[in-house]
Amino acid sequence: MKYTAKAAISAIALTVAGAAHAEPQAEVLHWWTAGGEAKAVAVLQQEFSENGGTWTDMPVAGGGGDAAMTALRARVLSGNAPTAVQLKGPAIQEWYEEGVLADISSVAEAEGWADVLPAQIAEHMKCEGDWCAAPVNVHRVDWIWANKSVLDANGIEMPTTWDEFNAAAEKLQAAGVIPLAHGGQSWQDATVFETVVLGLGGPEFFQKALVDLDQEALTSDTMVQVFDQMRTLRGYVDDNFSGRDWNLATAMVMNGEAAFQIMGDWAKGEFLAAGKVPGEDFLCASTPGEGYLYNVDSFAMFEVDGDDKKAGQDLLAKLIVGPNFQKVFNLNKGSIPVRTDVSLDEFDECAVKSSEDMKASAENGSLLPSYAHGMALRGAQSGAITDVVTAHFNSDMSSEDAVKMLADAVANSM
Ligand code: BGC
């Protein structure tokens, strides 16, 4: 359906009983502050204003959203929750259990979300059967990004196994190029770690280790090998990696200082925002191995007072899942639409690959939730794992010790 201001106004009149004249207001907490991210969120802001809404922006910088989640906790504890919050995975249900989320089922039902969203993803948006979040996109986490001319100049193809990756990295290092652009922040360490778990262990192992938290998988030889590979990767990172933001690592690949970055496809949003062309300036490939790690951004609406704010929540939820927003936002963000009925005609080859791989992996059972991006586990468990991954990456801890620490940390977090 083509969205018009008139349609928006009548939708609000229908869905917000007794608030026909309320002017939609929304204070929106998000962490989209890097170049590609900011361009993408501006699309939502603009659609909201065009449909009569007043947007109050609450950006909290910090990749992966850790700082945003701390800010959210402070606001909710002080009894002053933002209207809409970028929130995802089991954290949605955790906040629901606190009794602070609004039910957006009336919008979801009026808009037929159940018919246009993949079932596995729709489940993440529900709290005890009611809709409690609106999905924005599907980001894939298990990607390698590369500077094409750096690879060409060194006679290197995109690696398809971790051994090939290591061989390419050794060659680049010998040629004076930083093999791996990385930012030493715990969520970035976790991002790389989960792609190695998937790649070396395979989809079933990933499920057991990082979704089911199976002790046998966590203490297995495979997990030792995963930490070995993390140690190897540590050797491919430059000395100044500590604390570096992810988008600065992407910039190192863009300007040829580094060859590769392992990062979700929000990195593609950065390349595109800088005018870089996939296949010409930069390359994308899934990290070695089978499977697909998904990371779905979504917004949850918090319980707030005032018809204007409730109208804002309804309008925002409706726009987010609307077909136009799904296309334009995701063209900027680097992700793919979460709706299954949006054409990918205007999307690039990396997005098309993401979509095809997602379908294939859903069919063969290797479509898996990202632990590093809060899709697989509750905060206590994912935090316990990430602490170990980071402690190992930033020390000379042995793989065997890391595995022991991992198993204990997970057991203690339950
Ligand atoms: C979010 C992305 C965001 C990235 C970097 C991820 O967890 O899902 O939307 O671009 O973090 O901040």
Side-chain angles (χ1 to χ4, degrees):
M1 181 183 94
K2 189 156 184 322
Y3 208 82
T4 62
K6 210 169 148 207
I9 290 160
S10 55
I12 293 155
L14 278 175
T15 51
V16 185
H21 301 296
E23 288 185 6
Q25 302 271 343
E27 187 193 8
V28 185
L29 192 164
H30 62 89
W31 67 88
W32 289 327
T33 55
E37 295 176 328
K39 276 185 84 175
V41 77
V43 173
L44 184 55
Q45 203 165 343
Q46 193 189 336
E47 267 202 35
F48 192 66
S49 315
E50 281 168 5
N51 285 281
T54 306
W55 173 291
T56 305
D57 206 29
M58 190 186 170
V60 181
D66 294 340
M69 291 302 101
T70 305
L72 171 64
R73 230 163 280 130
R75 285 285 302 265
V76 177
L77 282 177
S78 68
N80 177 29
T83 332
V85 177
Q86 185 189 350
L87 197 66
K88 56 187 166 151
I92 299 170
Q93 284 76 28
E94 288 185 277
W95 280 111
Y96 170 82
E97 287 159 16
E98 298 293 320
V100 290
L101 290 196
D103 182 355
I104 53 171
S105 299
S106 59
V107 180
E109 276 150 26
E111 296 295 309
W113 289 1
D115 301 330
V116 293
L117 300 178
Q120 191 169 345
I121 288 172
E123 265 323 292
H124 286 289
M125 308 298 140
K126 294 202 179 155
C127 298
E128 293 187 336
D130 293 329
W131 293 88
C132 51
V136 176
N137 59 3
V138 181
H139 269 306
R140 183 179 197 172
V141 177
D142 49 318
W143 283 116
I144 305 182
W145 308 95
N147 180 305
K148 183 171 185 310
S149 44
V150 169
L151 294 203
D152 288 350
N154 289 281
I156 289 169
E157 303 270 325
M158 270 313 238
T160 59
T161 64
W162 285 103
D163 284 346
E164 277 178 26
F165 182 91
N166 296 345
E170 300 289 339
K171 196 170 176 188
L172 289 158
Q173 209 157 38
V177 178
I178 299 167
L180 183 62
H182 181 68
Q185 296 175 344
S186 56
W187 72 272
Q188 295 187 59
D189 301 339
T191 300
V192 173
F193 172 77
E194 72 174 347
T195 71
V196 177
V197 171
L198 180 68
L200 291 182
E204 262 180 56
F205 179 78
F206 184 97
Q207 170 78 32
K208 278 194 195 139
L210 297 182
V211 184
D212 302 340
L213 302 180
D214 173 85
Q215 280 287 327
E216 212 176 296
L218 291 171
T219 53
S220 62
D221 289 347
T222 306
M223 197 53 96
V224 173
Q225 285 162 26
V226 167
F227 280 105
D228 288 349
Q229 177 63 20
M230 288 302 285
R231 177 66 64 238
T232 302
L233 292 175
R234 172 68 181 80
Y236 301 147
V237 165
D238 66 307
D239 289 342
N240 298 323
F241 80 106
S242 199
R244 176 187 289 139
D245 287 327
W246 66 273
N247 53 319
L248 300 182
T250 309
M252 289 168 69
V253 176
M254 269 186 228
N255 66 29
E257 204 185 327
F260 298 115
Q261 182 182 20
I262 297 170
M263 186 49 66
D265 42 23
W266 44 94
K268 193 186 72 184
E270 285 298 294
F271 283 108
L272 298 179
K276 304 289 179 193
V277 179
E280 287 176 26
D281 302 312
F282 69 97
L283 302 174
C284 60
S286 49
T287 51
E290 298 296 306
Y292 184 113
L293 298 181
Y294 68 87
N295 168 24
V296 174
D297 284 311
S298 47
F299 278 90
M301 309 302 161
F302 277 65
E303 278 294 356
V304 285
D305 290 329
D307 289 341
D308 50 354
K309 290 182 179 168
K310 290 185 200 300
Q313 293 179 325
D314 285 350
L315 176 57
L316 206 54
K318 177 178 170 137
L319 292 177
I320 285 171
V321 187
N324 182 58
F325 168 77
Q326 287 274 325
K327 182 182 91 180
V328 185
F329 177 91
N330 287 304
L331 280 169
N332 286 294
K333 189 69 173 63
S335 36
I336 56 173
V338 64
R339 285 180 78 110
T340 49
D341 61 348
V342 175
S343 157
L344 289 184
D345 285 354
E346 291 171 50
F347 283 75
D348 59 52
E349 60 198 50
C350 308
V352 171
K353 175 176 168 53
S354 175
S355 169
E356 284 170 357
D357 289 358
M358 182 173 153
K359 278 191 202 109
S361 62
E363 275 161 28
N364 69 22
S366 63
L367 179 61
L368 293 157
S370 159
Y371 119 79
H373 292 275
M375 297 302 300
L377 301 171
R378 291 186 168 232
Q381 280 78 46
S382 61
I385 297 174
T386 301
D387 285 351
V388 177
V389 170
T390 292
H392 170 267
F393 201 70
N394 289 289
S395 69
D396 58 4
M397 189 188 295
S398 73
S399 300
E400 286 76 11
D401 285 349
V403 160
K404 276 195 211 98
M405 209 173 159
L406 181 68
D408 288 349
V410 168
N412 292 334
S413 73
M414 309 283 257

